Amino acid sequence: LFPKATDETFCNKLHAGLMGKWPNFAKPAKRPDPDAHFAVVHYAATVSYNITGWLEKNKDPLNDTIVEMIKNGSNSLMIECFKDHPGQPLVAPKGHAKKKKGGGKTVSSYFKGQLDELMIILYKT
């Protein structure tokens, strides 16, 4: 998502682009967070932000299946935007039969079982 970006380069970009140009962007106060990197003046108070780990925490990767659907869609702009994204094939490669995994009982399947039992009891009364 950000191939060469680091928290430091992100902070530098914020300061270069917003400091003195946007009244709601400010230098952080030493209290309550002495390690804060910038502050935003909100309607109620000024809030200081520490960007340590910011880029990693705020990654929001797209599901490969969604990307593959976009790449195979009809919108030419979206196809162009995602053409280099690896995605994953929508169809399994030949010779690789998909095995059904025998998973444990999920919370919803357990709940459904209880609900079915309750409905049987209610119908009997």
Side-chain angles (χ1 to χ4, degrees), residues 11 15 27-30 32-39 47-51:
C11 183
H15 282 269
K27 289 182 180 180
K30 292 297 175 195
D33 185 2
D35 298 323
H37 295 94
F38 67 91
V47 179
S48 295
Y49 292 91
N50 183 328
I51 64 160

Side-chain angles (χ1 to χ4, degrees), residues 89-109:
L90 292 175
V91 180
K94 292 183 179 181
H96 292 90
K98 201 172 188 181
K99 292 183 181 178
K100 187 173 181 180
K101 296 179 181 178
K105 207 169 198 181
T106 64
V107 173
S108 60
S109 66

